[in-house]
Protein backbone atom coordinates (compact mmCIF):
# COMPACT_ATOMS: atom_id res chain seq x y z
CA UNK A 1 0.00 0.00 0.00
CA UNK A 2 2.86 2.39 0.88
CA UNK A 3 4.37 1.91 -2.60
CA UNK A 4 1.08 2.62 -4.34
CA UNK A 5 0.51 5.66 -2.20
CA UNK A 6 3.89 7.10 -3.12
CA UNK A 7 3.24 6.25 -6.79
CA UNK A 8 0.05 8.29 -6.61
CA UNK A 9 1.81 11.26 -5.14
CA UNK A 10 4.67 11.03 -7.67
CA UNK A 11 2.19 10.85 -10.55
CA UNK A 12 0.30 13.90 -9.34
CA UNK A 13 3.42 15.94 -8.70
CA UNK A 14 4.86 14.97 -12.10
CA UNK A 15 1.55 15.81 -13.69
CA UNK A 16 1.38 19.30 -12.28
CA UNK A 17 5.06 19.91 -13.09
CA UNK A 18 4.71 18.86 -16.73
CA UNK A 19 1.49 20.78 -17.21
CA UNK A 20 3.11 24.03 -16.06
CA UNK A 21 6.31 23.31 -18.05
CA UNK A 22 4.24 23.46 -21.21
CA UNK A 23 3.45 27.09 -20.45
CA UNK A 24 6.97 28.08 -19.40
CA UNK A 25 8.78 30.68 -21.49
CA UNK A 26 10.92 28.95 -24.09
CA UNK A 27 14.68 29.12 -23.76
CA UNK A 28 16.82 28.24 -26.73
CA UNK A 29 19.92 28.05 -24.55
CA UNK A 30 18.39 27.06 -21.20
CA UNK A 31 21.57 25.77 -19.61
CA UNK A 32 23.87 28.58 -20.54
CA UNK A 33 21.67 31.66 -20.49
CA UNK A 34 18.84 31.84 -18.04
CA UNK A 35 17.87 35.43 -17.51
CA UNK A 36 14.12 35.44 -18.30
CA UNK A 37 13.95 39.22 -18.84
CA UNK A 38 16.67 39.04 -21.42
CA UNK A 39 16.49 35.53 -22.84
CA UNK A 40 12.87 34.40 -23.03
CA UNK A 41 11.73 33.56 -26.50
CA UNK A 42 9.62 36.13 -28.34
CA UNK A 43 6.85 34.94 -30.64
CA UNK A 44 5.99 37.31 -33.44
CA UNK A 45 6.68 38.26 -37.02
CA UNK A 46 9.02 40.58 -38.87
CA UNK A 47 7.79 43.61 -40.85
CA UNK A 48 6.25 42.66 -44.20
CA UNK A 49 9.13 44.06 -46.24
CA UNK A 50 11.78 42.29 -44.14
CA UNK A 51 14.41 40.53 -46.26
CA UNK A 52 15.83 37.07 -45.56
CA UNK A 53 19.01 36.23 -47.39
CA UNK A 54 21.99 33.91 -47.32
CA UNK A 55 25.56 34.86 -48.17
CA UNK A 56 28.76 33.60 -49.77
CA UNK A 57 31.81 35.26 -51.29
CA UNK A 58 33.59 34.69 -54.59
CA UNK A 59 36.95 33.37 -53.39
CA UNK A 60 35.33 31.16 -50.78
CA UNK A 61 33.01 29.24 -53.15
CA UNK A 62 33.67 29.82 -56.86
CA UNK A 63 36.87 27.96 -57.69
CA UNK A 64 37.77 28.48 -61.35
CA UNK A 65 40.67 30.56 -60.11
CA UNK A 66 42.26 30.93 -63.56
CA UNK A 67 39.37 29.84 -65.78
CA UNK A 68 38.10 31.76 -68.82
CA UNK A 69 40.57 34.61 -68.51
CA UNK A 70 40.32 35.32 -64.77
CA UNK A 71 43.38 37.15 -63.42
CA UNK A 72 45.24 36.23 -60.26
CA UNK A 73 43.99 37.68 -56.98
CA UNK A 74 45.91 38.24 -53.75
CA UNK A 75 44.21 35.17 -52.26
CA UNK A 76 45.33 33.01 -55.22
CA UNK A 77 48.84 34.31 -54.68
CA UNK A 78 48.75 34.00 -50.88
CA UNK A 79 47.43 30.43 -50.82
CA UNK A 80 49.73 29.24 -53.62
CA UNK A 81 52.73 30.68 -51.81
CA UNK A 82 52.01 28.23 -48.96
CA UNK A 83 52.53 28.56 -45.23
CA UNK A 84 49.55 30.81 -44.53
CA UNK A 85 46.52 28.54 -44.46
CA UNK A 86 45.66 25.43 -42.42
CA UNK A 87 46.93 22.40 -44.35
CA UNK A 88 47.90 24.79 -47.18
CA UNK A 89 44.38 24.56 -48.59
CA UNK A 90 43.31 26.97 -51.31
CA UNK A 91 40.22 28.11 -53.22
CA UNK A 92 41.33 26.77 -56.62
CA UNK A 93 38.20 24.63 -56.82
CA UNK A 94 36.45 25.06 -53.45
CA UNK A 95 32.68 24.44 -53.90
CA UNK A 96 33.13 24.73 -57.69
CA UNK A 97 30.25 27.21 -57.79
CA UNK A 98 31.73 28.63 -61.00
CA UNK A 99 30.33 25.48 -62.62
CA UNK A 100 27.59 24.60 -60.15
CA UNK A 101 25.90 27.96 -59.64
CA UNK A 102 22.57 26.65 -60.93
CA UNK A 103 22.54 24.03 -58.19
CA UNK A 104 23.28 26.74 -55.64
CA UNK A 105 20.34 28.81 -56.86
CA UNK A 106 18.12 25.74 -56.63
CA UNK A 107 19.12 25.37 -52.96
CA UNK A 108 18.20 29.00 -52.26
CA UNK A 109 14.87 28.60 -54.03
CA UNK A 110 14.09 25.46 -52.04
CA UNK A 111 14.59 27.44 -48.84
CA UNK A 112 12.24 30.20 -49.95
CA UNK A 113 15.02 32.80 -50.05
CA UNK A 114 14.17 35.95 -51.99
CA UNK A 115 17.66 37.49 -51.75
CA UNK A 116 21.16 36.12 -52.14
CA UNK A 117 24.30 37.97 -51.08
CA UNK A 118 27.34 37.11 -53.20
CA UNK A 119 30.51 38.94 -54.22
CA UNK A 120 32.13 39.68 -57.55
CA UNK A 121 35.74 38.61 -58.04
CA UNK A 122 37.33 41.84 -59.29
CA UNK A 123 40.04 39.93 -61.20
CA UNK A 124 37.43 37.77 -62.95
CA UNK A 125 36.04 40.77 -64.78
CA UNK A 126 39.19 42.96 -64.76
CA UNK A 127 42.11 40.47 -64.79
CA UNK A 128 44.73 43.16 -64.16
CA UNK A 129 42.40 45.20 -61.96
CA UNK A 130 42.40 48.11 -64.39
CA UNK A 131 39.54 49.19 -66.64
CA UNK A 132 41.53 48.95 -69.91
CA UNK A 133 41.19 45.17 -70.06
CA UNK A 134 37.66 43.81 -69.52
CA UNK A 135 37.13 40.04 -69.43
CA UNK A 136 33.71 39.53 -71.03
CA UNK A 137 33.69 35.84 -70.06
CA UNK A 138 33.82 36.90 -66.40
CA UNK A 139 30.99 39.38 -66.89
CA UNK A 140 28.97 36.61 -68.56
CA UNK A 141 29.41 34.36 -65.53
CA UNK A 142 27.79 36.89 -63.21
CA UNK A 143 25.09 37.68 -65.81
CA UNK A 144 24.23 33.97 -65.96
CA UNK A 145 24.11 33.75 -62.17
CA UNK A 146 21.80 36.77 -61.96
CA UNK A 147 19.65 35.30 -64.78
CA UNK A 148 19.30 32.03 -62.92
CA UNK A 149 18.42 33.86 -59.71
CA UNK A 150 15.83 36.02 -61.53
CA UNK A 151 14.25 32.89 -63.01
CA UNK A 152 13.79 31.71 -59.42
CA UNK A 153 12.55 35.01 -58.03
CA UNK A 154 15.79 35.76 -56.12
CA UNK A 155 17.32 39.23 -56.04
CA UNK A 156 21.02 40.03 -55.69
CA UNK A 157 22.74 41.81 -52.83
CA UNK A 158 26.20 42.24 -54.34
CA UNK A 159 29.44 42.83 -52.49
CA UNK A 160 32.03 44.54 -54.69
CA UNK A 161 35.02 43.76 -52.50
CA UNK A 162 35.18 40.60 -50.41
CA UNK A 163 38.99 40.54 -49.98
CA UNK A 164 40.23 39.24 -53.36
CA UNK A 165 42.14 42.21 -54.81
CA UNK A 166 43.67 41.64 -58.27
CA UNK A 167 47.32 40.75 -57.65
CA UNK A 168 48.39 43.28 -60.29
CA UNK A 169 47.02 46.07 -58.08
CA UNK A 170 48.75 44.62 -55.02
CA UNK A 171 51.98 44.80 -56.99
CA UNK A 172 51.65 48.60 -56.97
CA UNK A 173 50.82 48.74 -53.23
CA UNK A 174 47.20 47.62 -53.07
CA UNK A 175 45.06 49.51 -50.55
CA UNK A 176 48.15 51.30 -49.28
CA UNK A 177 48.50 53.21 -52.56
CA UNK A 178 46.09 56.18 -52.88
CA UNK A 179 45.73 55.39 -56.61
CA UNK A 180 43.49 52.51 -55.53
CA UNK A 181 40.62 54.97 -55.08
CA UNK A 182 40.35 55.59 -58.83
CA UNK A 183 40.83 51.90 -59.69
CA UNK A 184 38.06 50.88 -57.29
CA UNK A 185 35.75 53.56 -58.66
CA UNK A 186 36.33 52.33 -62.24
CA UNK A 187 35.65 48.74 -61.22
CA UNK A 188 32.52 49.72 -59.29
CA UNK A 189 31.18 51.73 -62.24
CA UNK A 190 31.71 48.79 -64.56
CA UNK A 191 29.61 46.68 -62.19
CA UNK A 192 26.87 49.34 -61.98
CA UNK A 193 26.82 49.57 -65.81
CA UNK A 194 26.72 45.86 -66.49
CA UNK A 195 24.64 44.52 -63.58
CA UNK A 196 23.01 47.52 -61.93
CA UNK A 197 19.64 47.34 -63.67
CA UNK A 198 18.94 44.17 -61.67
CA UNK A 199 20.64 44.92 -58.33
CA UNK A 200 18.58 46.47 -55.50
CA UNK A 201 21.39 46.33 -52.90
CA UNK A 202 25.08 47.09 -53.34
CA UNK A 203 27.76 46.66 -50.69
CA UNK A 204 31.09 48.30 -51.44
CA UNK A 205 33.30 46.57 -48.86
CA UNK A 206 32.97 43.47 -46.75
CA UNK A 207 34.54 43.94 -43.33
CA UNK A 208 37.23 46.53 -44.06
CA UNK A 209 38.34 46.12 -40.43
CA UNK A 210 39.53 42.59 -41.29
CA UNK A 211 41.09 43.77 -44.56
CA UNK A 212 43.12 46.47 -42.90
CA UNK A 213 44.09 44.61 -39.69
CA UNK A 214 44.49 41.00 -40.83
CA UNK A 215 45.68 41.87 -44.35
CA UNK A 216 48.08 44.72 -43.51
CA UNK A 217 48.42 44.73 -39.71
CA UNK A 218 49.02 41.13 -38.59
CA UNK A 219 49.62 39.56 -41.99
CA UNK A 220 47.39 36.57 -41.21
CA UNK A 221 45.35 37.22 -44.37
CA UNK A 222 46.37 38.25 -47.91
CA UNK A 223 48.39 40.23 -48.85
CA UNK A 224 50.21 39.16 -45.67
CA UNK A 225 51.73 42.51 -44.67
CA UNK A 226 52.45 42.92 -40.96
CA UNK A 227 52.91 46.45 -39.70
CA UNK A 228 50.39 47.18 -36.99
CA UNK A 229 51.06 50.80 -35.96
CA UNK A 230 50.76 52.91 -39.12
CA UNK A 231 49.67 50.85 -42.13
CA UNK A 232 46.14 49.91 -40.97
CA UNK A 233 45.33 53.60 -40.43
CA UNK A 234 46.64 54.56 -43.90
CA UNK A 235 44.88 51.63 -45.58
CA UNK A 236 41.57 52.46 -43.88
CA UNK A 237 41.92 56.05 -45.07
CA UNK A 238 42.12 54.81 -48.68
CA UNK A 239 39.30 52.31 -48.24
CA UNK A 240 36.94 54.99 -46.90
CA UNK A 241 37.78 57.29 -49.82
CA UNK A 242 37.23 54.42 -52.26
CA UNK A 243 33.85 53.67 -50.72
CA UNK A 244 32.83 57.34 -50.98
CA UNK A 245 33.96 57.56 -54.62
CA UNK A 246 31.85 54.51 -55.51
CA UNK A 247 28.87 55.91 -53.59
CA UNK A 248 28.99 59.23 -55.46
CA UNK A 249 29.38 57.51 -58.82
CA UNK A 250 26.34 55.37 -58.09
CA UNK A 251 24.30 58.17 -56.58
CA UNK A 252 24.97 60.68 -59.37
CA UNK A 253 24.83 58.46 -62.43
CA UNK A 254 23.10 55.13 -61.81
CA UNK A 255 20.77 55.40 -58.84
CA UNK A 256 18.39 57.84 -60.61
CA UNK A 257 17.31 55.10 -63.01
CA UNK A 258 18.49 51.88 -61.32
CA UNK A 259 16.91 52.75 -57.97
CA UNK A 260 19.15 50.59 -55.80
CA UNK A 261 20.65 51.28 -52.38
CA UNK A 262 24.36 51.32 -51.64
CA UNK A 263 26.03 50.74 -48.30
CA UNK A 264 29.03 49.17 -46.61
CA UNK A 265 29.31 46.05 -44.46
CA UNK A 266 31.20 46.40 -41.18
CA UNK A 267 31.94 43.65 -38.72
CA UNK A 268 31.88 43.78 -34.98
CA UNK A 269 31.40 41.65 -31.92
CA UNK A 270 29.15 43.14 -29.25
CA UNK A 271 31.27 44.64 -26.51
CA UNK A 272 29.58 43.98 -23.16
CA UNK A 273 30.66 46.31 -20.34
CA UNK A 274 32.16 44.10 -17.67
CA UNK A 275 30.40 46.07 -14.96
CA UNK A 276 27.28 47.90 -16.07
CA UNK A 277 27.16 49.94 -12.88
CA UNK A 278 30.62 51.35 -13.49
CA UNK A 279 31.10 54.30 -15.87
CA UNK A 280 34.71 53.36 -16.69
CA UNK A 281 33.46 49.97 -17.82
CA UNK A 282 30.66 51.50 -19.89
CA UNK A 283 33.16 53.90 -21.50
CA UNK A 284 35.53 51.04 -22.30
CA UNK A 285 32.75 49.14 -24.07
CA UNK A 286 31.87 52.22 -26.11
CA UNK A 287 35.55 52.83 -26.94
CA UNK A 288 35.98 49.27 -28.19
CA UNK A 289 33.07 49.83 -30.58
CA UNK A 290 34.33 53.25 -31.70
CA UNK A 291 37.78 51.84 -32.54
CA UNK A 292 36.16 49.04 -34.51
CA UNK A 293 32.87 50.18 -36.11
CA UNK A 294 33.24 53.92 -35.53
CA UNK A 295 36.58 54.00 -37.35
CA UNK A 296 34.65 53.38 -40.60
CA UNK A 297 31.06 54.28 -39.78
CA UNK A 298 31.69 57.67 -38.17
CA UNK A 299 33.28 59.21 -41.30
CA UNK A 300 30.64 57.65 -43.55
CA UNK A 301 27.49 58.42 -41.55
CA UNK A 302 28.53 61.39 -39.39
CA UNK A 303 31.68 62.86 -40.95
CA UNK A 304 35.32 62.30 -39.81
CA UNK A 305 36.81 59.75 -37.41
CA UNK A 306 35.36 59.41 -33.89
CA UNK A 307 36.60 62.11 -31.52
CA UNK A 308 37.94 59.51 -29.08
CA UNK A 309 40.16 57.98 -31.81
CA UNK A 310 41.48 61.37 -32.88
CA UNK A 311 42.41 62.47 -29.35
CA UNK A 312 43.80 59.16 -28.14
CA UNK A 313 45.97 58.42 -31.17
CA UNK A 314 47.23 62.02 -31.36
CA UNK A 315 48.22 61.99 -27.67
CA UNK A 316 49.94 58.62 -27.97
CA UNK A 317 51.74 59.60 -31.17
CA UNK A 318 53.22 62.65 -29.38
CA UNK A 319 54.27 60.53 -26.39
CA UNK A 320 55.81 58.06 -28.81
CA UNK A 321 58.02 60.81 -30.20
CA UNK A 322 56.21 61.30 -33.51
CA UNK A 323 55.72 64.67 -35.16
CA UNK A 324 52.20 63.84 -36.36
CA UNK A 325 49.36 61.52 -35.44
CA UNK A 326 49.42 57.98 -36.79
CA UNK A 327 45.74 58.52 -37.62
CA UNK A 328 45.66 60.47 -40.90
CA UNK A 329 43.41 63.54 -41.08
CA UNK A 330 40.66 64.18 -43.62
CA UNK A 331 40.51 67.68 -45.08
CA UNK A 332 37.23 69.58 -44.55
CA UNK A 333 36.42 68.96 -48.25
CA UNK A 334 37.02 65.23 -47.80
CA UNK A 335 34.85 65.15 -44.68
CA UNK A 336 32.01 66.79 -46.59
CA UNK A 337 32.50 64.44 -49.56
CA UNK A 338 32.49 61.29 -47.38
CA UNK A 339 29.71 62.23 -44.96
CA UNK A 340 26.39 60.64 -45.84
CA UNK A 341 27.75 58.09 -48.32
CA UNK A 342 25.73 55.15 -47.06
CA UNK A 343 22.07 54.30 -47.69
CA UNK A 344 22.32 51.54 -45.09
CA UNK A 345 24.59 49.98 -42.50
CA UNK A 346 25.53 46.38 -43.30
CA UNK A 347 26.39 44.46 -40.15
CA UNK A 348 28.31 41.22 -39.88
CA UNK A 349 28.26 39.86 -36.35
CA UNK A 350 28.82 36.46 -34.79
CA UNK A 351 29.82 36.78 -31.15
CA UNK A 352 30.36 38.93 -28.04
CA UNK A 353 33.31 40.07 -25.92
CA UNK A 354 33.44 41.63 -22.48
CA UNK A 355 35.27 44.90 -22.15
CA UNK A 356 37.02 46.64 -19.29
CA UNK A 357 39.22 49.77 -19.27
CA UNK A 358 42.98 49.35 -19.44
CA UNK A 359 45.36 51.89 -17.91
CA UNK A 360 46.36 54.49 -20.50
CA UNK A 361 49.25 53.01 -22.48
CA UNK A 362 51.54 55.64 -24.04
CA UNK A 363 54.50 53.32 -24.47
CA UNK A 364 56.53 52.34 -27.52
CA UNK A 365 56.34 50.43 -29.77
CA UNK A 366 53.03 51.81 -31.04
CA UNK A 367 50.26 49.38 -32.04
CA UNK A 368 46.63 49.59 -33.08
CA UNK A 369 45.85 47.02 -30.38
CA UNK A 370 47.10 49.34 -27.64
CA UNK A 371 45.45 52.49 -28.96
CA UNK A 372 41.96 52.00 -27.51
CA UNK A 373 43.05 51.20 -23.92
CA UNK A 374 40.47 48.43 -23.67
CA UNK A 375 40.94 44.85 -22.52
CA UNK A 376 38.52 42.42 -24.18
CA UNK A 377 37.89 38.76 -23.45
CA UNK A 378 35.29 36.01 -23.63
CA UNK A 379 34.13 33.84 -20.75
CA UNK A 380 35.37 30.27 -21.00
CA UNK A 381 31.95 29.07 -19.82
CA UNK A 382 30.09 30.55 -22.81
CA UNK A 383 29.04 27.91 -25.33
CA UNK A 384 31.58 27.47 -28.12
CA UNK A 385 31.59 26.53 -31.81
CA UNK A 386 33.96 25.17 -34.44
CA UNK A 387 35.93 28.46 -34.36
CA UNK A 388 38.01 29.52 -31.36
CA UNK A 389 36.86 33.15 -31.62
CA UNK A 390 33.16 32.37 -31.91
CA UNK A 391 31.32 31.94 -28.61
CA UNK A 392 27.54 31.69 -28.85
CA UNK A 393 25.97 34.69 -27.12
CA UNK A 394 22.52 35.30 -28.63
CA UNK A 395 21.65 38.42 -26.59
CA UNK A 396 24.77 40.22 -27.89
CA UNK A 397 23.36 40.81 -31.38
CA UNK A 398 20.37 42.68 -29.94
CA UNK A 399 22.57 44.98 -27.87
CA UNK A 400 24.87 45.62 -30.82
CA UNK A 401 21.95 46.48 -33.11
CA UNK A 402 20.66 48.90 -30.48
CA UNK A 403 24.07 50.54 -30.20
CA UNK A 404 24.27 51.03 -33.98
CA UNK A 405 20.70 52.27 -34.19
CA UNK A 406 21.32 54.85 -31.46
CA UNK A 407 24.65 55.91 -32.87
CA UNK A 408 23.87 56.26 -36.60
CA UNK A 409 20.10 56.11 -37.05
CA UNK A 410 20.25 54.49 -40.52
CA UNK A 411 18.58 51.34 -41.86
CA UNK A 412 20.50 48.24 -40.80
CA UNK A 413 20.86 45.02 -42.76
CA UNK A 414 22.41 42.08 -40.95
CA UNK A 415 24.60 40.97 -43.85
CA UNK A 416 26.22 38.00 -42.06
CA UNK A 417 25.45 35.93 -38.99
CA UNK A 418 26.04 32.26 -38.43
CA UNK A 419 28.10 29.64 -36.65
CA UNK A 420 30.76 27.08 -37.49
CA UNK A 421 31.04 23.44 -36.57
CA UNK A 422 34.17 21.34 -36.88
CA UNK A 423 35.32 19.43 -39.92
CA UNK A 424 33.18 16.36 -39.70
CA UNK A 425 30.27 14.91 -41.63
CA UNK A 426 27.19 16.03 -39.75
CA UNK A 427 23.78 16.87 -41.13
CA UNK A 428 21.84 17.16 -37.88
CA UNK A 429 23.62 20.37 -36.90
CA UNK A 430 21.88 21.00 -33.57
CA UNK A 431 24.29 23.81 -32.61
CA UNK A 432 23.50 25.74 -35.80
CA UNK A 433 19.75 25.10 -35.54
CA UNK A 434 19.69 26.53 -32.03
CA UNK A 435 22.03 29.36 -33.01
CA UNK A 436 19.81 30.58 -35.86
CA UNK A 437 16.61 30.37 -33.84
CA UNK A 438 18.16 32.21 -30.90
CA UNK A 439 20.00 34.91 -32.86
CA UNK A 440 17.14 35.61 -35.30
CA UNK A 441 14.82 35.82 -32.30
CA UNK A 442 17.09 38.48 -30.78
CA UNK A 443 16.91 40.43 -34.08
CA UNK A 444 13.12 40.24 -33.81
CA UNK A 445 13.33 41.63 -30.27
CA UNK A 446 15.55 44.47 -31.49
CA UNK A 447 12.82 45.42 -33.95
CA UNK A 448 9.63 44.70 -32.02
CA UNK A 449 10.67 45.52 -28.46
CA UNK A 450 13.36 48.16 -29.06
CA UNK A 451 12.16 49.78 -32.28
CA UNK A 452 15.46 49.36 -34.15
CA UNK A 453 15.37 49.86 -37.90
CA UNK A 454 16.57 46.44 -39.11
CA UNK A 455 15.57 45.71 -42.71
CA UNK A 456 17.04 42.28 -43.31
CA UNK A 457 18.85 39.22 -42.01
CA UNK A 458 21.48 37.23 -43.89
CA UNK A 459 22.69 33.79 -42.87
CA UNK A 460 26.38 32.98 -43.35
CA UNK A 461 26.68 30.74 -45.24
CA UNK A 462 24.68 28.99 -47.94
CA UNK A 463 27.46 26.38 -48.24
CA UNK A 464 30.40 25.04 -46.31
CA UNK A 465 33.33 26.79 -47.95
CA UNK A 466 36.94 27.98 -47.80
CA UNK A 467 37.19 29.63 -44.39
CA UNK A 468 40.28 31.78 -45.08
CA UNK A 469 43.18 30.93 -42.73
CA UNK A 470 41.27 27.94 -41.34
CA UNK A 471 41.01 26.38 -44.81
CA UNK A 472 38.21 23.81 -44.90
CA UNK A 473 38.43 22.93 -41.20
CA UNK A 474 35.56 25.18 -40.04
CA UNK A 475 32.15 24.64 -41.60
CA UNK A 476 29.65 27.52 -41.60
CA UNK A 477 27.27 26.09 -44.21
CA UNK A 478 23.55 25.52 -44.18
CA UNK A 479 24.53 22.86 -46.71
CA UNK A 480 27.27 20.31 -46.23
CA UNK A 481 29.80 20.13 -49.05
CA UNK A 482 31.99 17.07 -49.49
CA UNK A 483 35.34 18.53 -50.57
CA UNK A 484 36.75 15.08 -51.32
CA UNK A 485 34.02 14.40 -53.85
CA UNK A 486 35.04 15.68 -57.32
CA UNK A 487 31.36 16.51 -57.83
CA UNK A 488 31.27 18.63 -54.62
CA UNK A 489 27.87 17.27 -53.73
CA UNK A 490 25.73 19.58 -51.51
CA UNK A 491 23.57 18.10 -48.74
CA UNK A 492 21.03 20.10 -46.72
CA UNK A 493 21.73 20.22 -42.98
CA UNK A 494 18.94 20.38 -40.40
CA UNK A 495 19.43 24.14 -40.11
CA UNK A 496 17.99 24.46 -43.64
CA UNK A 497 14.62 23.32 -42.26
CA UNK A 498 14.87 25.67 -39.30
CA UNK A 499 15.63 28.68 -41.49
CA UNK A 500 13.05 27.73 -44.14
CA UNK A 501 10.39 27.58 -41.43
CA UNK A 502 11.34 31.02 -40.11
CA UNK A 503 11.30 32.41 -43.65
CA UNK A 504 7.94 30.81 -44.40
CA UNK A 505 6.38 32.30 -41.24
CA UNK A 506 8.32 35.55 -41.55
CA UNK A 507 9.22 35.01 -37.93
CA UNK A 508 8.15 32.75 -35.11
CA UNK A 509 4.57 31.59 -34.82
CA UNK A 510 3.52 30.06 -31.56
CA UNK A 511 1.68 27.20 -33.28
CA UNK A 512 4.87 25.83 -34.81
CA UNK A 513 6.01 25.11 -31.27
CA UNK A 514 2.66 23.91 -30.03
CA UNK A 515 3.81 20.45 -31.00
CA UNK A 516 6.36 20.33 -28.18
CA UNK A 517 4.33 22.24 -25.63
CA UNK A 518 1.35 19.97 -26.28
CA UNK A 519 3.37 16.82 -25.84
CA UNK A 520 4.64 18.04 -22.48
CA UNK A 521 1.22 19.32 -21.42
CA UNK A 522 -0.55 16.10 -22.41
CA UNK A 523 2.02 14.00 -20.57
CA UNK A 524 1.28 16.22 -17.61
CA UNK A 525 -2.48 15.74 -17.91
CA UNK A 526 -2.07 11.99 -18.35
CA UNK A 527 0.05 11.77 -15.20
CA UNK A 528 -2.49 13.83 -13.26
CA UNK A 529 -5.43 11.71 -14.41
CA UNK A 530 -3.52 8.55 -13.54
CA UNK A 531 -2.81 9.98 -10.11
CA UNK A 532 -6.42 11.01 -9.54
CA UNK A 533 -7.61 7.60 -10.68
CA UNK A 534 -5.21 5.79 -8.37
CA UNK A 535 -6.19 7.99 -5.44
CA UNK A 536 -9.88 7.18 -6.13
CA UNK A 537 -9.23 3.44 -6.33
CA UNK A 538 -7.11 3.49 -3.23
CA UNK A 539 -9.44 5.90 -1.56
CA UNK A 540 -6.62 8.15 -0.35
C1 LIG B 1 33.64 36.96 -41.95
N1 LIG B 1 37.90 36.33 -37.03
O1 LIG B 1 34.99 36.93 -41.64
C2 LIG B 1 33.67 37.03 -43.45
O2 LIG B 1 32.97 38.08 -44.03
C3 LIG B 1 33.40 35.73 -44.11
O3 LIG B 1 34.06 35.71 -45.33
C4 LIG B 1 33.78 34.58 -43.19
O4 LIG B 1 33.72 33.35 -43.81
C5 LIG B 1 32.87 34.67 -41.99
O5 LIG B 1 32.98 35.91 -41.35
C6 LIG B 1 33.09 33.59 -40.95
O6 LIG B 1 34.36 33.74 -40.36
C7 LIG B 1 35.62 36.76 -40.46
O7 LIG B 1 38.91 35.58 -37.06
C8 LIG B 1 36.81 36.06 -40.48
O8 LIG B 1 37.57 36.95 -35.98
C9 LIG B 1 37.55 35.91 -39.36
C10 LIG B 1 37.11 36.49 -38.18
C11 LIG B 1 35.92 37.19 -38.13
C12 LIG B 1 35.18 37.33 -39.28
Amino acid sequence: MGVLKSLTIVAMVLGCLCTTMGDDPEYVYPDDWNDPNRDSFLYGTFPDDFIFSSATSAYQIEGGWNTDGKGESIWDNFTHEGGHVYRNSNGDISCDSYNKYKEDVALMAAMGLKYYRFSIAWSRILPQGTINNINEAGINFYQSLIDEMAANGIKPMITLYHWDLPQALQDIGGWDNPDIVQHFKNYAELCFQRFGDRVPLWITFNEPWIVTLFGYGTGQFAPGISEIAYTPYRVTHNIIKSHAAAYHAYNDTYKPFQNGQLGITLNSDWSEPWDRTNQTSLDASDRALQFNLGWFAHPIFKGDYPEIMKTKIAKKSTAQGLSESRLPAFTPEEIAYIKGTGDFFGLNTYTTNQAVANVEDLSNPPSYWKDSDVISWQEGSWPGSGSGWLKIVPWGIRRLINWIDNEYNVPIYVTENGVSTGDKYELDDIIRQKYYRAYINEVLKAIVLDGSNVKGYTAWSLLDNFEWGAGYSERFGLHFVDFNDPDRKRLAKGSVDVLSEIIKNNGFIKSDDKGNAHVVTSYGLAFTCFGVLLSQILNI
Side-chain angles (χ1 to χ4, degrees), residues 154-204:
I154 300 166
K155 291 181 181 152
M157 184 191 307
I158 297 186
T159 312
L160 291 170
Y161 189 74
H162 202 124
W163 307 357
D164 46 355
L165 190 74
Q167 180 61 37
L169 293 180
Q170 190 57 49
D171 294 342
I172 57 165
W175 295 106
D176 201 9
N177 178 346
D179 290 348
I180 197 75
V181 178
Q182 186 62 43
H183 293 305
F184 182 72
K185 177 171 177 269
N186 294 343
Y187 159 61
E189 282 215 58
L190 176 65
C191 293
F192 302 150
Q193 285 160 11
R194 300 301 189 93
F195 311 119
D197 56 337
R198 296 194 285 175
V199 182
L201 294 167
W202 288 102
I203 293 163
T204 52

Side-chain angles (χ1 to χ4, degrees), residues 57 60 162-163 206-207 210 214 221 348 350 389 416 460 465 467-468 476:
S57 86
Q60 293 179 276
H162 202 124
W163 307 357
N206 179 71
E207 304 193 352
I210 294 268
F214 286 30
F221 286 4
N348 289 359
Y350 292 86
W389 54 272
E416 277 181 34
W460 181 273
N465 58 47
E467 179 53 24
W468 309 111
F476 278 86

Side-chain angles (χ1 to χ4, degrees), residues 114-359:
K114 295 281 180 281
Y115 279 78
Y116 172 46
R117 175 176 176 231
F118 64 93
S119 79
I120 292 176
W122 187 338
S123 71
R124 196 179 286 294
I125 68 174
L126 296 174
Q128 302 302 310
T130 46
I131 198 70
N132 54 352
N133 172 17
I134 299 173
N135 180 31
E136 293 297 335
I139 303 253
N140 290 342
F141 168 69
Y142 295 109
Q143 292 292 16
S144 308
L145 170 61
I146 297 171
D147 286 344
E148 186 68 15
M149 289 166 58
N152 285 275
I154 300 166
K155 291 181 181 152
M157 184 191 307
I158 297 186
T159 312
L160 291 170
Y161 189 74
H162 202 124
W163 307 357
D164 46 355
L165 190 74
Q167 180 61 37
L169 293 180
Q170 190 57 49
D171 294 342
I172 57 165
W175 295 106
D176 201 9
N177 178 346
D179 290 348
I180 197 75
V181 178
Q182 186 62 43
H183 293 305
F184 182 72
K185 177 171 177 269
N186 294 343
Y187 159 61
E189 282 215 58
L190 176 65
C191 293
F192 302 150
Q193 285 160 11
R194 300 301 189 93
F195 311 119
D197 56 337
R198 296 194 285 175
V199 182
L201 294 167
W202 288 102
I203 293 163
T204 52
F205 287 87
N206 179 71
E207 304 193 352
W209 186 89
I210 294 268
V211 174
T212 197
L213 284 173
F214 286 30
Y216 292 81
T218 68
Q220 282 161 273
F221 286 4
I225 292 163
S226 46
E227 192 293 294
I228 192 66
Y230 304 84
T231 317
Y233 292 120
R234 281 200 310 269
V235 163
T236 293
H237 215 59
N238 290 329
I239 289 179
I240 292 171
K241 289 182 186 176
S242 303
H243 162 84
Y247 181 91
H248 284 293
Y250 186 69
N251 205 50
D252 298 348
T253 312
Y254 305 94
K255 195 179 188 175
F257 65 98
Q258 295 183 342
N259 296 313
Q261 306 274 299
L262 184 141
I264 188 166
T265 279
L266 307 177
N267 65 294
S268 187
D269 306 338
W270 166 241
S271 182
E272 174 69 12
W274 182 54
D275 177 359
R276 281 187 165 267
T277 63
N278 176 333
Q279 194 56 43
T280 342
S281 224
L282 293 166
D283 291 346
S285 152
D286 195 69
R287 232 168 27 245
L289 293 162
Q290 295 296 355
F291 271 77
N292 177 331
L293 291 179
W295 188 8
F296 304 88
H298 206 287
I300 291 170
F301 296 108
K302 295 173 133 176
D304 209 357
Y305 293 118
E307 214 48 49
I308 188 74
M309 285 190 81
K310 291 200 285 184
T311 50
K312 267 204 181 287
I313 300 168
K315 182 174 178 193
K316 291 184 188 217
S317 300
T318 305
Q320 286 154 347
L322 304 169
S323 57
E324 56 182 37
S325 177
R326 285 180 285 107
L327 182 70
F330 290 118
T331 64
E333 295 72 35
E334 286 170 340
I335 291 174
Y337 179 76
I338 294 164
K339 186 178 175 182
T341 57
D343 298 324
F344 62 86
F345 189 118
L347 171 67
N348 289 359
T349 189
Y350 292 86
T351 190
T352 283
N353 293 310
Q354 297 197 110
V356 73
N358 197 3
V359 286

